[in-house]
Amino acid sequence: MDLAYMAELPQKEFAERRKQLLTKMRTNSALLLFSEIEKRRNNDCTFPFRQDSYFWYLTGFNEPNAALLFVKTEQSEKAILFLRPRDPLLETWNGRRLGVERAPQTLEVNEAYSIDEFAIHLPKITENLTALYHVPALHLWGDKLLSESAVNFTEILDWRPIISEMRLIKSPNEIRLMQQAGQISALAHIKAMQETRPHRFEYEIEGEILHEFNRHGARFASYNSIVAGGDNACILHYTENDQPLKDGDLVLVDAGCEFAMYAGDITRTFPVNGKFSQAQREIYSLVLKAQKRAIELLVPGSSIKQVNDEVIRIKVQGLVELGILQGDVDELIEQKAYRQFYMHGLGHWLGLDVHDVGEYGEERSRTLAVGMVITVEPGLYISEEAEVPEQYKGIGVRIEDNLLMTEYGNKILTAAVPKEIEEIENLMGKSREFLKM
């Protein structure tokens, strides 16, 4: 499916971001960001290139070995790009380059120079400036270029707090792309449910998910997909995906696509054979109850911490009723007895990175605001070794959706994929009937 018409932000949006950043800089300062570089996979082969998210946010430029320099004085404000020059021979082998000559007009920057001449131009451009916004050790290749440039500043400042806060509130164009990332991710999870059956390998389901991403215009996943059958679901970041799926087990699928650089992030848990057992239903229903309540409460003016406190109470009450925890609910919460079964947070920022940037406040107490996008992902993980009633051992459940904070409350960007037990069983049952035809 060709979605190129909607997979790009207008260049004026990047220009507006640069303008906004310049207003936040001190007078008589420079700010320097470096792009990502190609990463070696093995011998002379590289991983597919993925631009640094901060660099992309301010340029929309998807080439390696580049630097973006902002200069602010009382007389002027400039955005200057250093990039690879055109090279017909190398471009024949490794792909086209924008080149220095075309960069100013194409990317709407003030000036452009060859990255090979960085050490020559930087001292001249930044002469008499006092402060440099720079993050050491973020890109070591860039640190080396900077050290070779023989520049001196009286003060080094961190630009991350400024740009991270800008990235935290999504523009209407960003929201459009994130809606598409959520929709494509949802379609892939539906496909995973339809294609799952006993004795298929976890990586086969991963392959179905990646194919569905590609089919709808998202070439890459936004993170390494988790397809965890049975007790593997109790490993939070399980990515081996190399085990056969067993009849009678649940499978936890945590996967999201990257569409136009923006991340989707969905988790669903469903039965390998298409039918929940009684014990699986009980744990799943408890997690779903907690997630539904969280979605009701996660609105502008609330906080992730505030809502997570409510989620914890729902879970502890439910675990006591099931006999998995014993004791007084308030005391168990005080003792954090739930941590053996729920050891992660309720959600995180989402955007260009799946774990996106921006301050959370102490214990994620920051007040949510219109334009933020977050995940909501309660879970329960009861390992085979847990001292619980036998029927609950080896059950891991997480249910995750993506929420956009709006002036009316929230909008679920990933609602297209089922999560009610009856909906999941009906979807999986119909796919099995189709296979028998």
Side-chain angles (χ1 to χ4, degrees):
M1 182 180 295
D2 184 6
L3 294 174
Y5 72 96
M6 65 175 298
E8 294 181 0
L9 291 174
Q11 193 56 234
K12 66 180 180 180
E13 181 147 338
F14 297 107
E16 282 298 317
R17 292 170 181 172
R18 294 193 293 270
K19 183 178 179 180
Q20 182 183 355
L21 176 58
L22 280 160
T23 67
K24 298 175 184 294
M25 291 170 54
R26 292 185 189 179
T27 301
N28 209 41
S29 69
L31 188 151
L32 182 60
L33 297 94
F34 291 101
S35 75
E36 192 51 85
I37 58 173
E38 291 180 316
K39 301 292 180 66
R40 179 178 176 272
R41 184 181 187 275
N42 63 297
N43 196 17
D44 58 351
C45 296
T46 60
F47 286 102
F49 178 73
R50 203 279 188 183
Q51 186 59 279
D52 175 89
S53 294
Y54 284 111
F55 194 88
W56 175 267
Y57 182 77
L58 293 167
T59 65
F61 182 53
N62 200 38
E63 289 188 21
N65 300 90
L68 181 64
L69 178 68
F70 293 87
V71 175
K72 181 176 181 178
T73 67
E74 291 183 354
Q75 292 75 36
S76 68
E77 297 177 353
K78 289 183 179 181
I80 301 166
L81 185 67
F82 294 85
L83 69 163
R84 302 175 304 176
R86 297 293 306 274
D87 187 319
L89 179 58
L90 287 177
E91 290 181 56
T92 298
W93 283 94
N94 299 319
R96 298 178 181 89
R97 298 179 178 185
L98 177 61
V100 174
E101 294 77 13
R102 293 184 293 176
Q105 181 176 358
T106 302
L107 300 176
E108 298 184 20
V109 294
N110 299 101
E111 299 171 12
Y113 302 99
S114 169
I115 191 69
D116 299 329
E117 299 173 351
F118 183 83
I120 298 171
H121 291 288
L122 186 66
K124 299 175 184 177
I125 295 170
T126 62
E127 188 177 9
N128 299 323
L129 299 183
T130 56
L132 174 67
Y133 293 85
H134 172 60
V135 182
L138 191 61
H139 295 293
L140 296 180
W141 79 274
D143 289 349
K144 184 173 183 293
L145 275 184
L146 185 59
S147 67
E148 293 170 351
S149 302
V151 290
N152 291 298
F153 293 88
T154 57
E155 193 171 5
I156 302 296
L157 305 170
D158 190 340
W159 48 250
R160 285 175 297 186
I162 301 173
I163 306 176
S164 295
E165 286 300 297
M166 291 172 60
R167 284 175 55 183
L168 185 55
I169 305 299
K170 274 51 180 188
S171 72
N173 281 321
E174 289 180 291
I175 290 168
R176 173 173 56 84
L177 297 180
M178 293 195 71
Q179 287 177 314
Q180 190 64 24
Q183 180 66 18
I184 295 171
S185 298
L187 291 172
H189 278 263
I190 291 171
K191 185 67 170 179
M193 292 178 185
Q194 292 173 326
E195 296 296 332
T196 294
R197 63 188 71 92
H199 311 303
R200 294 200 78 182
F201 278 82
E202 294 165 337
Y203 58 73
E204 292 184 77
I205 306 307
E206 180 182 17
E208 299 283 0
I209 290 166
L210 294 175
H211 176 257
E212 200 70 3
F213 290 168
N214 291 175
R215 201 165 77 84
H216 293 284
R219 184 180 172 194
F220 299 110
S222 56
Y223 54 96
N224 293 327
S225 301
I226 297 169
V227 181
D231 192 47
N232 292 336
C234 296
I235 302 170
L236 296 183
H237 292 153
Y238 174 82
T239 55
E240 285 84 353
N241 297 353
D242 61 358
Q243 296 300 304
L245 296 169
K246 298 177 183 178
D247 195 356
D249 279 350
L250 294 177
V251 57
L252 184 156
V253 176
D254 188 338
C257 79
E258 182 174 273
F259 181 77
M261 299 291 284
Y262 286 85
D265 185 6
I266 300 176
T267 306
R268 290 293 186 267
T269 309
F270 49 92
V272 171
N273 62 16
K275 290 288 183 180
F276 287 87
S277 71
Q278 182 58 34
Q280 290 167 353
R281 278 176 170 264
E282 290 168 351
I283 300 300
Y284 186 92
S285 296
L286 179 52
V287 175
L288 183 59
K289 179 182 179 181
Q291 202 226 20
K292 286 180 174 180
R293 182 58 176 155
I295 291 172
E296 288 178 7
L297 297 175
L298 285 167
V299 296
S302 68
S303 70
I304 295 174
K305 180 188 184 303
Q306 175 187 335
V307 177
N308 193 42
D309 288 344
E310 176 76 7
V311 163
I312 289 169
R313 180 164 293 277
I314 291 170
K315 288 183 181 181
V316 172
Q317 180 68 51
L319 291 171
V320 169
E321 292 172 359
L322 294 174
I324 294 171
L325 286 175
Q326 292 82 36
D328 177 76
V329 170
D330 289 329
E331 290 180 3
L332 290 168
I333 292 172
E334 180 69 25
Q335 296 162 4
K336 298 186 178 181
Y338 58 87
R339 292 287 292 174
Q340 60 182 309
F341 307 121
Y342 175 49
M343 62 292 290
H344 60 75
L346 179 62
H348 55 79
W349 308 135
L350 188 67
L352 285 170
D353 298 320
V354 69
H355 295 132
D356 211 32
V357 295
E359 286 295 322
Y360 284 101
E362 185 178 357
E363 296 184 346
R364 308 207 169 187
S365 60
R366 178 172 183 165
T367 300
L368 298 174
V370 173
M372 293 177 175
V373 181
I374 62 173
T375 66
V376 52
E377 48 183 302
L380 286 172
Y381 313 90
I382 307 171
S383 75
E384 294 281 4
E385 288 81 34
E387 295 181 4
V388 300
E390 191 67 29
Q391 67 267 31
Y392 300 118
K393 292 185 176 183
I395 295 179
V397 174
R398 182 165 64 253
I399 307 170
E400 177 183 20
D401 283 295
N402 306 157
L403 299 183
L404 166 67
M405 296 297 108
T406 77
E407 59 184 310
Y408 307 108
N410 68 48
K411 180 178 181 180
I412 306 174
L413 302 181
T414 49
V417 55
K419 59 184 174 184
E420 298 289 345
I421 287 175
E422 293 75 15
E423 292 176 341
I424 291 172
E425 289 185 339
N426 287 340
L427 175 65
M428 297 184 75
K430 287 179 180 178
S431 68
R432 281 155 177 73
E433 290 174 10
F434 178 78
L435 289 171
K436 292 177 182 178
M437 294 174 62

Short mmCIF file of all heavy atoms in Angstrom, two decimals, residues 43 105 153 161 179 211 215-216 242 244 317 320 330 336 351-352 368 375 381 384 398 405 413 421 424 426:
data_model
loop_
_atom_site.label_atom_id
_atom_site.label_comp_id
_atom_site.label_asym_id
_atom_site.label_seq_id
_atom_site.Cartn_x
_atom_site.Cartn_y
_atom_site.Cartn_z
N ASN A 43 31.42 -7.95 9.30
CA ASN A 43 32.38 -7.76 8.21
C ASN A 43 32.14 -6.39 7.56
O ASN A 43 32.29 -5.36 8.20
CB ASN A 43 32.30 -8.91 7.20
CG ASN A 43 33.52 -8.95 6.30
OD1 ASN A 43 34.55 -8.34 6.61
ND2 ASN A 43 33.43 -9.63 5.18
N GLN A 105 18.33 25.13 0.09
CA GLN A 105 16.98 25.30 -0.45
C GLN A 105 16.08 24.13 -0.09
O GLN A 105 14.92 24.31 0.30
CB GLN A 105 17.04 25.45 -1.98
CG GLN A 105 15.66 25.67 -2.60
CD GLN A 105 15.75 25.91 -4.10
OE1 GLN A 105 16.82 25.96 -4.67
NE2 GLN A 105 14.60 26.08 -4.73
N PHE A 153 34.87 27.31 24.53
CA PHE A 153 33.70 28.01 25.05
C PHE A 153 33.83 28.09 26.57
O PHE A 153 34.35 27.17 27.22
CB PHE A 153 32.41 27.27 24.68
CG PHE A 153 32.11 27.26 23.21
CD1 PHE A 153 32.62 26.27 22.38
CD2 PHE A 153 31.33 28.25 22.64
CE1 PHE A 153 32.36 26.25 21.03
CE2 PHE A 153 31.06 28.25 21.28
CZ PHE A 153 31.57 27.26 20.47
N PRO A 161 17.20 19.03 27.70
CA PRO A 161 15.96 19.51 28.34
C PRO A 161 15.11 20.40 27.44
O PRO A 161 13.88 20.34 27.50
CB PRO A 161 16.49 20.28 29.56
CG PRO A 161 17.81 19.66 29.86
CD PRO A 161 18.39 19.33 28.51
N GLN A 179 -1.30 8.41 14.55
CA GLN A 179 -2.55 7.68 14.34
C GLN A 179 -2.36 6.56 13.33
O GLN A 179 -2.87 5.44 13.51
CB GLN A 179 -3.64 8.64 13.86
CG GLN A 179 -4.17 9.57 14.95
CD GLN A 179 -5.20 10.54 14.42
OE1 GLN A 179 -5.01 11.15 13.36
NE2 GLN A 179 -6.29 10.72 15.13
N HIS A 211 5.44 -8.59 8.20
CA HIS A 211 4.86 -8.53 6.86
C HIS A 211 3.67 -7.58 6.82
O HIS A 211 3.50 -6.80 5.86
CB HIS A 211 4.43 -9.92 6.41
CG HIS A 211 3.75 -9.93 5.07
ND1 HIS A 211 2.38 -10.05 4.93
CD2 HIS A 211 4.25 -9.81 3.81
CE1 HIS A 211 2.07 -10.02 3.63
NE2 HIS A 211 3.17 -9.87 2.94
N ARG A 215 3.27 -4.32 4.53
CA ARG A 215 2.15 -4.30 3.59
C ARG A 215 1.38 -2.99 3.65
O ARG A 215 0.77 -2.56 2.66
CB ARG A 215 1.21 -5.46 3.92
CG ARG A 215 0.31 -5.90 2.81
CD ARG A 215 -0.28 -7.26 3.14
NE ARG A 215 -1.34 -7.17 4.10
CZ ARG A 215 -2.61 -6.88 3.82
NH1 ARG A 215 -2.95 -6.61 2.57
NH2 ARG A 215 -3.53 -6.86 4.76
N HIS A 216 1.45 -2.32 4.80
CA HIS A 216 0.70 -1.08 4.99
C HIS A 216 1.59 0.15 5.05
O HIS A 216 1.17 1.20 5.53
CB HIS A 216 -0.16 -1.18 6.25
CG HIS A 216 -1.26 -2.19 6.15
ND1 HIS A 216 -2.41 -1.97 5.43
CD2 HIS A 216 -1.36 -3.45 6.65
CE1 HIS A 216 -3.18 -3.04 5.49
NE2 HIS A 216 -2.58 -3.94 6.23
N ASP A 242 12.01 -17.87 19.69
CA ASP A 242 12.48 -19.07 18.98
C ASP A 242 11.85 -20.36 19.48
O ASP A 242 12.31 -21.45 19.14
CB ASP A 242 14.01 -19.18 19.09
CG ASP A 242 14.51 -19.29 20.53
OD1 ASP A 242 13.68 -19.25 21.47
OD2 ASP A 242 15.73 -19.41 20.72
N PRO A 244 8.45 -23.07 20.10
CA PRO A 244 7.14 -23.43 19.55
C PRO A 244 6.02 -23.01 20.50
O PRO A 244 6.19 -23.03 21.72
CB PRO A 244 7.21 -24.96 19.43
CG PRO A 244 8.24 -25.38 20.43
CD PRO A 244 9.23 -24.26 20.51
N GLN A 317 -6.44 -6.10 45.01
CA GLN A 317 -7.75 -6.60 45.42
C GLN A 317 -8.10 -7.88 44.66
O GLN A 317 -8.57 -8.88 45.25
CB GLN A 317 -8.81 -5.54 45.17
CG GLN A 317 -10.23 -5.95 45.56
CD GLN A 317 -10.41 -6.09 47.05
OE1 GLN A 317 -10.05 -5.18 47.80
NE2 GLN A 317 -10.94 -7.21 47.50
N VAL A 320 -5.94 -10.91 45.74
CA VAL A 320 -6.40 -11.44 47.02
C VAL A 320 -7.64 -12.30 46.81
O VAL A 320 -7.75 -13.41 47.36
CB VAL A 320 -6.69 -10.29 48.01
CG1 VAL A 320 -7.44 -10.82 49.25
CG2 VAL A 320 -5.39 -9.61 48.43
N ASP A 330 -4.65 -2.98 51.95
CA ASP A 330 -3.85 -1.79 52.24
C ASP A 330 -2.45 -2.16 52.69
O ASP A 330 -1.46 -1.52 52.28
CB ASP A 330 -4.54 -0.94 53.31
CG ASP A 330 -5.79 -0.25 52.80
OD1 ASP A 330 -5.84 0.07 51.59
OD2 ASP A 330 -6.73 -0.05 53.59
N LYS A 336 4.27 -3.44 49.13
CA LYS A 336 4.57 -3.64 47.71
C LYS A 336 4.66 -5.12 47.36
O LYS A 336 5.49 -5.55 46.56
CB LYS A 336 5.86 -2.91 47.31
CG LYS A 336 5.77 -1.40 47.48
CD LYS A 336 6.99 -0.68 46.94
CE LYS A 336 6.81 0.83 47.08
NZ LYS A 336 7.96 1.59 46.55
N GLY A 351 6.54 8.59 20.84
CA GLY A 351 6.73 9.56 19.77
C GLY A 351 7.72 9.06 18.74
O GLY A 351 7.56 7.97 18.19
N LEU A 352 8.76 9.84 18.48
CA LEU A 352 9.81 9.39 17.56
C LEU A 352 10.54 8.18 18.12
O LEU A 352 11.05 7.36 17.36
CB LEU A 352 10.81 10.52 17.30
CG LEU A 352 10.34 11.64 16.37
CD1 LEU A 352 11.33 12.80 16.40
CD2 LEU A 352 10.17 11.12 14.94
N LEU A 368 -0.44 15.46 33.10
CA LEU A 368 -0.62 15.22 31.66
C LEU A 368 -1.27 16.44 31.01
O LEU A 368 -2.12 17.11 31.61
CB LEU A 368 -1.48 13.99 31.44
CG LEU A 368 -0.90 12.67 31.97
CD1 LEU A 368 -1.90 11.53 31.81
CD2 LEU A 368 0.42 12.34 31.28
N THR A 375 1.63 5.49 26.55
CA THR A 375 1.12 4.13 26.55
C THR A 375 0.43 3.86 27.87
O THR A 375 0.71 4.51 28.88
CB THR A 375 2.25 3.09 26.37
OG1 THR A 375 3.11 3.12 27.52
CG2 THR A 375 3.05 3.37 25.11
N TYR A 381 2.40 -11.02 35.85
CA TYR A 381 3.35 -12.03 35.37
C TYR A 381 3.57 -13.02 36.51
O TYR A 381 4.19 -12.69 37.52
CB TYR A 381 4.66 -11.38 34.95
CG TYR A 381 4.44 -10.15 34.08
CD1 TYR A 381 4.31 -8.89 34.66
CD2 TYR A 381 4.30 -10.26 32.70
CE1 TYR A 381 4.07 -7.77 33.89
CE2 TYR A 381 4.05 -9.15 31.92
CZ TYR A 381 3.94 -7.90 32.51
OH TYR A 381 3.70 -6.79 31.75
N GLU A 384 6.48 -19.77 36.54
CA GLU A 384 6.35 -21.17 36.93
C GLU A 384 6.84 -21.42 38.34
O GLU A 384 6.39 -22.36 39.01
CB GLU A 384 7.12 -22.07 35.94
CG GLU A 384 6.59 -22.07 34.53
CD GLU A 384 5.36 -22.96 34.36
OE1 GLU A 384 4.87 -23.51 35.38
OE2 GLU A 384 4.88 -23.10 33.23
N ARG A 398 -0.20 -8.93 29.52
CA ARG A 398 -0.08 -7.47 29.43
C ARG A 398 -1.02 -6.99 28.33
O ARG A 398 -1.15 -7.66 27.28
CB ARG A 398 1.37 -7.06 29.13
CG ARG A 398 1.55 -5.55 29.08
CD ARG A 398 3.03 -5.12 29.16
NE ARG A 398 3.84 -5.53 28.04
CZ ARG A 398 4.76 -6.50 28.09
NH1 ARG A 398 4.97 -7.17 29.21
NH2 ARG A 398 5.48 -6.81 27.03
N MET A 405 -3.54 12.62 24.54
CA MET A 405 -4.24 13.55 25.41
C MET A 405 -4.88 14.65 24.56
O MET A 405 -4.21 15.30 23.76
CB MET A 405 -3.26 14.17 26.41
CG MET A 405 -2.63 13.20 27.39
SD MET A 405 -3.82 12.40 28.49
CE MET A 405 -3.84 10.72 27.81
N LEU A 413 -5.46 5.53 20.20
CA LEU A 413 -4.96 5.44 18.83
C LEU A 413 -4.88 4.00 18.33
O LEU A 413 -4.65 3.77 17.15
CB LEU A 413 -3.57 6.08 18.74
CG LEU A 413 -3.47 7.55 19.18
CD1 LEU A 413 -2.03 8.05 19.02
CD2 LEU A 413 -4.44 8.43 18.38
N ILE A 421 -12.32 -10.59 25.82
CA ILE A 421 -12.14 -12.04 25.66
C ILE A 421 -13.02 -12.59 24.54
O ILE A 421 -12.54 -13.36 23.69
CB ILE A 421 -12.44 -12.77 27.00
CG1 ILE A 421 -11.29 -12.51 27.99
CG2 ILE A 421 -12.63 -14.28 26.78
CD1 ILE A 421 -11.52 -13.08 29.38
N ILE A 424 -11.72 -11.61 21.07
CA ILE A 424 -10.51 -12.35 20.69
C ILE A 424 -10.87 -13.77 20.28
O ILE A 424 -10.42 -14.27 19.24
CB ILE A 424 -9.50 -12.34 21.85
CG1 ILE A 424 -8.94 -10.93 22.07
CG2 ILE A 424 -8.36 -13.33 21.57
CD1 ILE A 424 -8.10 -10.80 23.32
N ASN A 426 -13.73 -14.94 19.22
CA ASN A 426 -14.49 -14.94 17.97
C ASN A 426 -13.57 -14.74 16.77
O ASN A 426 -13.71 -15.42 15.74
CB ASN A 426 -15.55 -13.85 18.00
CG ASN A 426 -16.71 -14.19 18.91
OD1 ASN A 426 -16.92 -15.35 19.24
ND2 ASN A 426 -17.46 -13.18 19.34
#
